[in-house]
Amino acid sequence: MEGLNVVEIIGYGASVMVAISLMMKDIIWLRWLNFVGCTLFVIYGVQIEAWPVAGMNAFVAGINIFHLIKIYRTSKSDSLAEASA
C-alpha cells in the first residue's frame, strides 16, 4: 500500500478546514477557516490540474476576503464612532 503524498495531504487538509469552518458560530472564524480551506483547495487543484476546483475555490477565497475586509472596516468605524461619542 502506498503512503499518502503531499498533494493528497493538502487535499484532505483542505476538506477538513472547510468542514470545520462550517461548524463555526462566529462569522469571522467561519470566514478565516473557510479562506484557509479554499486556499489549500486552490493549491490542490493546481497540483492535480483540476482547473474548475482551483478556479471555484479561488473565487470563494476572494469572497471570504471581501467579507472579512468589510467586517473589519465596519467594526473599526463603529469603534471610532463610539470613541467620539
Side-chain angles (χ1 to χ4, degrees), residues 48-80:
I48 66 168
E49 297 182 5
W51 306 117
V53 171
M56 180 53 116
N57 280 284
F59 178 72
V60 174
I63 291 171
N64 282 316
I65 290 299
F66 171 80
H67 284 291
L68 283 166
I69 290 169
K70 192 171 145 183
I71 289 167
Y72 285 122
R73 282 186 181 165
T74 302
S75 66
K76 184 177 179 181
S77 65
D78 287 350
S79 64
L80 289 174

Side-chain angles (χ1 to χ4, degrees), residues 2 5 10-11 14-15 21 26 43 53 59 61 79 83:
E2 287 184 30
N5 65 32
I10 292 170
S15 297
S21 77
D26 181 1
I43 294 166
V53 171
F59 178 72
S79 64

